[in-house]
Amino acid sequence: MDWQPLWLTFRLATITSLILLVLALPLAYWLAFGKFRARGIVEAVIGMPLVLPPSVIGFYLLLAFSPSYSFGAFIEKVFGLRLVFSFPGLVIASVLYSLPFMVYPIRAGLQSLPASLREASYTLGKSERETFFRILLPNCKPAVLTAFVLTFAHTVGEFGVVLMIGGNIPGVTKVASVAIYNEVEALNYAAANQYALVLFAITFVILLIVYSINNNLLRVRQSS
């Protein structure tokens, strides 16, 4: 079995999850406590990947990233980077496609905290930034951990979007889900089963460890 698609899959999932963690923290805070009229529109845009077929999102991203269109041509001209059929293109597509899996759990965790935490922090003269990073964020670690795990697992299981954007280039864009599809299409079920079993086992172990840690954090929080 070729291990390269598996390595590429977990590399993509790790990079995507880390980027989204940085982006989702301020966005989730803004959605949880910000006051603005366009909240419904912003939430609808973020949640589109939850309801749209991956092929639809992949198709429009393929058009946007293509050098034949303005955005793709701009990126290639300015940065010398072609997003179609490349690993950077996969990362950007995965970030957009997995955005709600990181944002919504963190927002829910922030909203579940007592309002007195924020009020007490502001009363003590803490800024909004200090309140977020020193008071709110440490108290919603389970939500952040859950969001990270969901994003990682969702990225590992991506197929439609990565196939549309990345195609099937070995060592560049051929992730495990695409490798399984190729083996099944070639009626090579033994190889497909090997990829599937490895993905199943590794993902299960990661989820088991992380959710065990998550449950322990919740118990500590409830007991304190």
mmCIF file with all atom_site columns, all heavy atoms in Angstrom, residues 94-115:
data_model
loop_
_atom_site.group_PDB
_atom_site.id
_atom_site.type_symbol
_atom_site.label_atom_id
_atom_site.label_alt_id
_atom_site.label_comp_id
_atom_site.label_asym_id
_atom_site.label_entity_id
_atom_site.label_seq_id
_atom_site.pdbx_PDB_ins_code
_atom_site.Cartn_x
_atom_site.Cartn_y
_atom_site.Cartn_z
_atom_site.occupancy
_atom_site.B_iso_or_equiv
_atom_site.pdbx_formal_charge
_atom_site.auth_seq_id
_atom_site.auth_comp_id
_atom_site.auth_asym_id
_atom_site.auth_atom_id
_atom_site.pdbx_PDB_model_num
ATOM 1   N N   . SER A 1 94  ? -10.211 23.608 1.514  1.00 0.00 ? 94  SER A N   1
ATOM 2   C CA  . SER A 1 94  ? -10.566 22.910 2.749  1.00 0.00 ? 94  SER A CA  1
ATOM 3   C C   . SER A 1 94  ? -10.896 23.894 3.865  1.00 0.00 ? 94  SER A C   1
ATOM 4   O O   . SER A 1 94  ? -11.792 23.647 4.674  1.00 0.00 ? 94  SER A O   1
ATOM 5   C CB  . SER A 1 94  ? -9.419  21.994 3.181  1.00 0.00 ? 94  SER A CB  1
ATOM 6   O OG  . SER A 1 94  ? -9.189  20.980 2.226  1.00 0.00 ? 94  SER A OG  1
ATOM 7   N N   . VAL A 1 95  ? -10.167 25.002 3.916  1.00 0.00 ? 95  VAL A N   1
ATOM 8   C CA  . VAL A 1 95  ? -10.451 26.027 4.919  1.00 0.00 ? 95  VAL A CA  1
ATOM 9   C C   . VAL A 1 95  ? -11.869 26.576 4.724  1.00 0.00 ? 95  VAL A C   1
ATOM 10  O O   . VAL A 1 95  ? -12.636 26.723 5.690  1.00 0.00 ? 95  VAL A O   1
ATOM 11  C CB  . VAL A 1 95  ? -9.410  27.162 4.841  1.00 0.00 ? 95  VAL A CB  1
ATOM 12  C CG1 . VAL A 1 95  ? -9.886  28.394 5.610  1.00 0.00 ? 95  VAL A CG1 1
ATOM 13  C CG2 . VAL A 1 95  ? -8.076  26.689 5.393  1.00 0.00 ? 95  VAL A CG2 1
ATOM 14  N N   . LEU A 1 96  ? -12.223 26.871 3.498  1.00 0.00 ? 96  LEU A N   1
ATOM 15  C CA  . LEU A 1 96  ? -13.562 27.400 3.222  1.00 0.00 ? 96  LEU A CA  1
ATOM 16  C C   . LEU A 1 96  ? -14.646 26.353 3.489  1.00 0.00 ? 96  LEU A C   1
ATOM 17  O O   . LEU A 1 96  ? -15.704 26.663 4.041  1.00 0.00 ? 96  LEU A O   1
ATOM 18  C CB  . LEU A 1 96  ? -13.637 27.876 1.764  1.00 0.00 ? 96  LEU A CB  1
ATOM 19  C CG  . LEU A 1 96  ? -12.738 29.056 1.397  1.00 0.00 ? 96  LEU A CG  1
ATOM 20  C CD1 . LEU A 1 96  ? -12.807 29.342 -0.101 1.00 0.00 ? 96  LEU A CD1 1
ATOM 21  C CD2 . LEU A 1 96  ? -13.130 30.300 2.190  1.00 0.00 ? 96  LEU A CD2 1
ATOM 22  N N   . TYR A 1 97  ? -14.362 25.116 3.112  1.00 0.00 ? 97  TYR A N   1
ATOM 23  C CA  . TYR A 1 97  ? -15.367 24.063 3.238  1.00 0.00 ? 97  TYR A CA  1
ATOM 24  C C   . TYR A 1 97  ? -15.572 23.625 4.687  1.00 0.00 ? 97  TYR A C   1
ATOM 25  O O   . TYR A 1 97  ? -16.662 23.220 5.079  1.00 0.00 ? 97  TYR A O   1
ATOM 26  C CB  . TYR A 1 97  ? -14.946 22.866 2.377  1.00 0.00 ? 97  TYR A CB  1
ATOM 27  C CG  . TYR A 1 97  ? -15.980 21.774 2.298  1.00 0.00 ? 97  TYR A CG  1
ATOM 28  C CD1 . TYR A 1 97  ? -17.301 22.056 1.959  1.00 0.00 ? 97  TYR A CD1 1
ATOM 29  C CD2 . TYR A 1 97  ? -15.639 20.452 2.558  1.00 0.00 ? 97  TYR A CD2 1
ATOM 30  C CE1 . TYR A 1 97  ? -18.246 21.048 1.877  1.00 0.00 ? 97  TYR A CE1 1
ATOM 31  C CE2 . TYR A 1 97  ? -16.580 19.436 2.474  1.00 0.00 ? 97  TYR A CE2 1
ATOM 32  C CZ  . TYR A 1 97  ? -17.876 19.747 2.140  1.00 0.00 ? 97  TYR A CZ  1
ATOM 33  O OH  . TYR A 1 97  ? -18.828 18.751 2.063  1.00 0.00 ? 97  TYR A OH  1
ATOM 34  N N   . SER A 1 98  ? -14.548 23.712 5.510  1.00 0.00 ? 98  SER A N   1
ATOM 35  C CA  . SER A 1 98  ? -14.641 23.258 6.903  1.00 0.00 ? 98  SER A CA  1
ATOM 36  C C   . SER A 1 98  ? -14.875 24.384 7.891  1.00 0.00 ? 98  SER A C   1
ATOM 37  O O   . SER A 1 98  ? -14.902 24.144 9.104  1.00 0.00 ? 98  SER A O   1
ATOM 38  C CB  . SER A 1 98  ? -13.357 22.505 7.290  1.00 0.00 ? 98  SER A CB  1
ATOM 39  O OG  . SER A 1 98  ? -13.181 21.343 6.515  1.00 0.00 ? 98  SER A OG  1
ATOM 40  N N   . LEU A 1 99  ? -15.048 25.601 7.406  1.00 0.00 ? 99  LEU A N   1
ATOM 41  C CA  . LEU A 1 99  ? -15.197 26.762 8.282  1.00 0.00 ? 99  LEU A CA  1
ATOM 42  C C   . LEU A 1 99  ? -16.294 26.596 9.343  1.00 0.00 ? 99  LEU A C   1
ATOM 43  O O   . LEU A 1 99  ? -16.058 26.869 10.527 1.00 0.00 ? 99  LEU A O   1
ATOM 44  C CB  . LEU A 1 99  ? -15.442 28.022 7.443  1.00 0.00 ? 99  LEU A CB  1
ATOM 45  C CG  . LEU A 1 99  ? -15.581 29.342 8.206  1.00 0.00 ? 99  LEU A CG  1
ATOM 46  C CD1 . LEU A 1 99  ? -14.299 29.662 8.960  1.00 0.00 ? 99  LEU A CD1 1
ATOM 47  C CD2 . LEU A 1 99  ? -15.923 30.477 7.236  1.00 0.00 ? 99  LEU A CD2 1
ATOM 48  N N   . PRO A 1 100 ? -17.513 26.166 8.994  1.00 0.00 ? 100 PRO A N   1
ATOM 49  C CA  . PRO A 1 100 ? -18.555 26.069 10.030 1.00 0.00 ? 100 PRO A CA  1
ATOM 50  C C   . PRO A 1 100 ? -18.258 25.041 11.114 1.00 0.00 ? 100 PRO A C   1
ATOM 51  O O   . PRO A 1 100 ? -18.723 25.186 12.246 1.00 0.00 ? 100 PRO A O   1
ATOM 52  C CB  . PRO A 1 100 ? -19.809 25.683 9.236  1.00 0.00 ? 100 PRO A CB  1
ATOM 53  C CG  . PRO A 1 100 ? -19.309 25.062 7.976  1.00 0.00 ? 100 PRO A CG  1
ATOM 54  C CD  . PRO A 1 100 ? -18.036 25.794 7.666  1.00 0.00 ? 100 PRO A CD  1
ATOM 55  N N   . PHE A 1 101 ? -17.473 24.028 10.798 1.00 0.00 ? 101 PHE A N   1
ATOM 56  C CA  . PHE A 1 101 ? -17.162 22.998 11.791 1.00 0.00 ? 101 PHE A CA  1
ATOM 57  C C   . PHE A 1 101 ? -16.224 23.512 12.879 1.00 0.00 ? 101 PHE A C   1
ATOM 58  O O   . PHE A 1 101 ? -16.145 22.924 13.959 1.00 0.00 ? 101 PHE A O   1
ATOM 59  C CB  . PHE A 1 101 ? -16.542 21.781 11.101 1.00 0.00 ? 101 PHE A CB  1
ATOM 60  C CG  . PHE A 1 101 ? -17.496 21.064 10.199 1.00 0.00 ? 101 PHE A CG  1
ATOM 61  C CD1 . PHE A 1 101 ? -17.620 21.427 8.871  1.00 0.00 ? 101 PHE A CD1 1
ATOM 62  C CD2 . PHE A 1 101 ? -18.290 20.052 10.684 1.00 0.00 ? 101 PHE A CD2 1
ATOM 63  C CE1 . PHE A 1 101 ? -18.510 20.774 8.028  1.00 0.00 ? 101 PHE A CE1 1
ATOM 64  C CE2 . PHE A 1 101 ? -19.187 19.389 9.859  1.00 0.00 ? 101 PHE A CE2 1
ATOM 65  C CZ  . PHE A 1 101 ? -19.301 19.756 8.525  1.00 0.00 ? 101 PHE A CZ  1
ATOM 66  N N   . MET A 1 102 ? -15.527 24.604 12.587 1.00 0.00 ? 102 MET A N   1
ATOM 67  C CA  . MET A 1 102 ? -14.670 25.219 13.591 1.00 0.00 ? 102 MET A CA  1
ATOM 68  C C   . MET A 1 102 ? -15.392 26.376 14.280 1.00 0.00 ? 102 MET A C   1
ATOM 69  O O   . MET A 1 102 ? -15.291 26.540 15.509 1.00 0.00 ? 102 MET A O   1
ATOM 70  C CB  . MET A 1 102 ? -13.379 25.726 12.949 1.00 0.00 ? 102 MET A CB  1
ATOM 71  C CG  . MET A 1 102 ? -12.372 26.316 13.932 1.00 0.00 ? 102 MET A CG  1
ATOM 72  S SD  . MET A 1 102 ? -11.613 25.110 15.040 1.00 0.00 ? 102 MET A SD  1
ATOM 73  C CE  . MET A 1 102 ? -10.362 24.400 13.947 1.00 0.00 ? 102 MET A CE  1
ATOM 74  N N   . VAL A 1 103 ? -16.133 27.160 13.531 1.00 0.00 ? 103 VAL A N   1
ATOM 75  C CA  . VAL A 1 103 ? -16.727 28.378 14.081 1.00 0.00 ? 103 VAL A CA  1
ATOM 76  C C   . VAL A 1 103 ? -17.884 28.076 15.025 1.00 0.00 ? 103 VAL A C   1
ATOM 77  O O   . VAL A 1 103 ? -17.940 28.592 16.155 1.00 0.00 ? 103 VAL A O   1
ATOM 78  C CB  . VAL A 1 103 ? -17.199 29.310 12.946 1.00 0.00 ? 103 VAL A CB  1
ATOM 79  C CG1 . VAL A 1 103 ? -18.015 30.475 13.512 1.00 0.00 ? 103 VAL A CG1 1
ATOM 80  C CG2 . VAL A 1 103 ? -16.021 29.848 12.163 1.00 0.00 ? 103 VAL A CG2 1
ATOM 81  N N   . TYR A 1 104 ? -18.817 27.243 14.600 1.00 0.00 ? 104 TYR A N   1
ATOM 82  C CA  . TYR A 1 104 ? -20.044 27.064 15.367 1.00 0.00 ? 104 TYR A CA  1
ATOM 83  C C   . TYR A 1 104 ? -19.842 26.428 16.747 1.00 0.00 ? 104 TYR A C   1
ATOM 84  O O   . TYR A 1 104 ? -20.448 26.873 17.720 1.00 0.00 ? 104 TYR A O   1
ATOM 85  C CB  . TYR A 1 104 ? -21.050 26.269 14.543 1.00 0.00 ? 104 TYR A CB  1
ATOM 86  C CG  . TYR A 1 104 ? -21.638 27.049 13.390 1.00 0.00 ? 104 TYR A CG  1
ATOM 87  C CD1 . TYR A 1 104 ? -22.121 26.414 12.255 1.00 0.00 ? 104 TYR A CD1 1
ATOM 88  C CD2 . TYR A 1 104 ? -21.701 28.440 13.425 1.00 0.00 ? 104 TYR A CD2 1
ATOM 89  C CE1 . TYR A 1 104 ? -22.662 27.137 11.193 1.00 0.00 ? 104 TYR A CE1 1
ATOM 90  C CE2 . TYR A 1 104 ? -22.222 29.168 12.379 1.00 0.00 ? 104 TYR A CE2 1
ATOM 91  C CZ  . TYR A 1 104 ? -22.711 28.510 11.260 1.00 0.00 ? 104 TYR A CZ  1
ATOM 92  O OH  . TYR A 1 104 ? -23.235 29.235 10.216 1.00 0.00 ? 104 TYR A OH  1
ATOM 93  N N   . PRO A 1 105 ? -19.011 25.383 16.907 1.00 0.00 ? 105 PRO A N   1
ATOM 94  C CA  . PRO A 1 105 ? -18.793 24.862 18.262 1.00 0.00 ? 105 PRO A CA  1
ATOM 95  C C   . PRO A 1 105 ? -18.145 25.869 19.203 1.00 0.00 ? 105 PRO A C   1
ATOM 96  O O   . PRO A 1 105 ? -18.504 25.940 20.386 1.00 0.00 ? 105 PRO A O   1
ATOM 97  C CB  . PRO A 1 105 ? -17.885 23.652 18.030 1.00 0.00 ? 105 PRO A CB  1
ATOM 98  C CG  . PRO A 1 105 ? -18.146 23.229 16.634 1.00 0.00 ? 105 PRO A CG  1
ATOM 99  C CD  . PRO A 1 105 ? -18.381 24.508 15.894 1.00 0.00 ? 105 PRO A CD  1
ATOM 100 N N   . ILE A 1 106 ? -17.202 26.672 18.683 1.00 0.00 ? 106 ILE A N   1
ATOM 101 C CA  . ILE A 1 106 ? -16.559 27.671 19.531 1.00 0.00 ? 106 ILE A CA  1
ATOM 102 C C   . ILE A 1 106 ? -17.555 28.753 19.915 1.00 0.00 ? 106 ILE A C   1
ATOM 103 O O   . ILE A 1 106 ? -17.605 29.201 21.075 1.00 0.00 ? 106 ILE A O   1
ATOM 104 C CB  . ILE A 1 106 ? -15.334 28.277 18.822 1.00 0.00 ? 106 ILE A CB  1
ATOM 105 C CG1 . ILE A 1 106 ? -14.275 27.208 18.563 1.00 0.00 ? 106 ILE A CG1 1
ATOM 106 C CG2 . ILE A 1 106 ? -14.743 29.416 19.655 1.00 0.00 ? 106 ILE A CG2 1
ATOM 107 C CD1 . ILE A 1 106 ? -13.059 27.708 17.805 1.00 0.00 ? 106 ILE A CD1 1
ATOM 108 N N   . ARG A 1 107 ? -18.374 29.173 18.969 1.00 0.00 ? 107 ARG A N   1
ATOM 109 C CA  . ARG A 1 107 ? -19.399 30.174 19.284 1.00 0.00 ? 107 ARG A CA  1
ATOM 110 C C   . ARG A 1 107 ? -20.359 29.651 20.343 1.00 0.00 ? 107 ARG A C   1
ATOM 111 O O   . ARG A 1 107 ? -20.715 30.370 21.291 1.00 0.00 ? 107 ARG A O   1
ATOM 112 C CB  . ARG A 1 107 ? -20.177 30.554 18.023 1.00 0.00 ? 107 ARG A CB  1
ATOM 113 C CG  . ARG A 1 107 ? -21.196 31.662 18.261 1.00 0.00 ? 107 ARG A CG  1
ATOM 114 C CD  . ARG A 1 107 ? -22.162 31.814 17.123 1.00 0.00 ? 107 ARG A CD  1
ATOM 115 N NE  . ARG A 1 107 ? -22.990 30.624 16.932 1.00 0.00 ? 107 ARG A NE  1
ATOM 116 C CZ  . ARG A 1 107 ? -23.995 30.547 16.071 1.00 0.00 ? 107 ARG A CZ  1
ATOM 117 N NH1 . ARG A 1 107 ? -24.282 31.588 15.304 1.00 0.00 ? 107 ARG A NH1 1
ATOM 118 N NH2 . ARG A 1 107 ? -24.700 29.447 15.948 1.00 0.00 ? 107 ARG A NH2 1
ATOM 119 N N   . ALA A 1 108 ? -20.783 28.397 20.194 1.00 0.00 ? 108 ALA A N   1
ATOM 120 C CA  . ALA A 1 108 ? -21.691 27.809 21.184 1.00 0.00 ? 108 ALA A CA  1
ATOM 121 C C   . ALA A 1 108 ? -21.042 27.738 22.558 1.00 0.00 ? 108 ALA A C   1
ATOM 122 O O   . ALA A 1 108 ? -21.698 27.981 23.585 1.00 0.00 ? 108 ALA A O   1
ATOM 123 C CB  . ALA A 1 108 ? -22.114 26.414 20.731 1.00 0.00 ? 108 ALA A CB  1
ATOM 124 N N   . GLY A 1 109 ? -19.744 27.406 22.593 1.00 0.00 ? 109 GLY A N   1
ATOM 125 C CA  . GLY A 1 109 ? -19.036 27.357 23.868 1.00 0.00 ? 109 GLY A CA  1
ATOM 126 C C   . GLY A 1 109 ? -18.954 28.720 24.526 1.00 0.00 ? 109 GLY A C   1
ATOM 127 O O   . GLY A 1 109 ? -19.136 28.846 25.751 1.00 0.00 ? 109 GLY A O   1
ATOM 128 N N   . LEU A 1 110 ? -18.693 29.752 23.744 1.00 0.00 ? 110 LEU A N   1
ATOM 129 C CA  . LEU A 1 110 ? -18.625 31.110 24.289 1.00 0.00 ? 110 LEU A CA  1
ATOM 130 C C   . LEU A 1 110 ? -19.979 31.570 24.802 1.00 0.00 ? 110 LEU A C   1
ATOM 131 O O   . LEU A 1 110 ? -20.082 32.190 25.867 1.00 0.00 ? 110 LEU A O   1
ATOM 132 C CB  . LEU A 1 110 ? -18.115 32.078 23.218 1.00 0.00 ? 110 LEU A CB  1
ATOM 133 C CG  . LEU A 1 110 ? -16.648 31.937 22.802 1.00 0.00 ? 110 LEU A CG  1
ATOM 134 C CD1 . LEU A 1 110 ? -16.345 32.802 21.585 1.00 0.00 ? 110 LEU A CD1 1
ATOM 135 C CD2 . LEU A 1 110 ? -15.723 32.313 23.956 1.00 0.00 ? 110 LEU A CD2 1
ATOM 136 N N   . GLN A 1 111 ? -21.031 31.262 24.051 1.00 0.00 ? 111 GLN A N   1
ATOM 137 C CA  . GLN A 1 111 ? -22.368 31.686 24.463 1.00 0.00 ? 111 GLN A CA  1
ATOM 138 C C   . GLN A 1 111 ? -22.869 30.940 25.692 1.00 0.00 ? 111 GLN A C   1
ATOM 139 O O   . GLN A 1 111 ? -23.759 31.432 26.389 1.00 0.00 ? 111 GLN A O   1
ATOM 140 C CB  . GLN A 1 111 ? -23.346 31.491 23.305 1.00 0.00 ? 111 GLN A CB  1
ATOM 141 C CG  . GLN A 1 111 ? -23.129 32.461 22.153 1.00 0.00 ? 111 GLN A CG  1
ATOM 142 C CD  . GLN A 1 111 ? -24.065 32.202 20.983 1.00 0.00 ? 111 GLN A CD  1
ATOM 143 O OE1 . GLN A 1 111 ? -24.472 31.064 20.747 1.00 0.00 ? 111 GLN A OE1 1
ATOM 144 N NE2 . GLN A 1 111 ? -24.393 33.245 20.249 1.00 0.00 ? 111 GLN A NE2 1
ATOM 145 N N   . SER A 1 112 ? -22.317 29.751 25.960 1.00 0.00 ? 112 SER A N   1
ATOM 146 C CA  . SER A 1 112 ? -22.754 28.973 27.119 1.00 0.00 ? 112 SER A CA  1
ATOM 147 C C   . SER A 1 112 ? -22.144 29.464 28.430 1.00 0.00 ? 112 SER A C   1
ATOM 148 O O   . SER A 1 112 ? -22.591 29.068 29.512 1.00 0.00 ? 112 SER A O   1
ATOM 149 C CB  . SER A 1 112 ? -22.387 27.494 26.926 1.00 0.00 ? 112 SER A CB  1
ATOM 150 O OG  . SER A 1 112 ? -20.978 27.308 26.958 1.00 0.00 ? 112 SER A OG  1
ATOM 151 N N   . LEU A 1 113 ? -21.117 30.315 28.343 1.00 0.00 ? 113 LEU A N   1
ATOM 152 C CA  . LEU A 1 113 ? -20.482 30.836 29.554 1.00 0.00 ? 113 LEU A CA  1
ATOM 153 C C   . LEU A 1 113 ? -21.372 31.881 30.219 1.00 0.00 ? 113 LEU A C   1
ATOM 154 O O   . LEU A 1 113 ? -22.074 32.631 29.530 1.00 0.00 ? 113 LEU A O   1
ATOM 155 C CB  . LEU A 1 113 ? -19.124 31.458 29.209 1.00 0.00 ? 113 LEU A CB  1
ATOM 156 C CG  . LEU A 1 113 ? -18.069 30.519 28.619 1.00 0.00 ? 113 LEU A CG  1
ATOM 157 C CD1 . LEU A 1 113 ? -16.822 31.309 28.247 1.00 0.00 ? 113 LEU A CD1 1
ATOM 158 C CD2 . LEU A 1 113 ? -17.714 29.416 29.608 1.00 0.00 ? 113 LEU A CD2 1
ATOM 159 N N   . PRO A 1 114 ? -21.357 31.952 31.536 1.00 0.00 ? 114 PRO A N   1
ATOM 160 C CA  . PRO A 1 114 ? -22.169 32.959 32.234 1.00 0.00 ? 114 PRO A CA  1
ATOM 161 C C   . PRO A 1 114 ? -21.757 34.375 31.845 1.00 0.00 ? 114 PRO A C   1
ATOM 162 O O   . PRO A 1 114 ? -20.564 34.678 31.718 1.00 0.00 ? 114 PRO A O   1
ATOM 163 C CB  . PRO A 1 114 ? -21.868 32.688 33.717 1.00 0.00 ? 114 PRO A CB  1
ATOM 164 C CG  . PRO A 1 114 ? -21.332 31.301 33.769 1.00 0.00 ? 114 PRO A CG  1
ATOM 165 C CD  . PRO A 1 114 ? -20.622 31.079 32.466 1.00 0.00 ? 114 PRO A CD  1
ATOM 166 N N   . ALA A 1 115 ? -22.754 35.226 31.664 1.00 0.00 ? 115 ALA A N   1
ATOM 167 C CA  . ALA A 1 115 ? -22.462 36.620 31.311 1.00 0.00 ? 115 ALA A CA  1
ATOM 168 C C   . ALA A 1 115 ? -21.691 37.326 32.417 1.00 0.00 ? 115 ALA A C   1
ATOM 169 O O   . ALA A 1 115 ? -20.980 38.314 32.160 1.00 0.00 ? 115 ALA A O   1
ATOM 170 C CB  . ALA A 1 115 ? -23.769 37.360 31.034 1.00 0.00 ? 115 ALA A CB  1
#
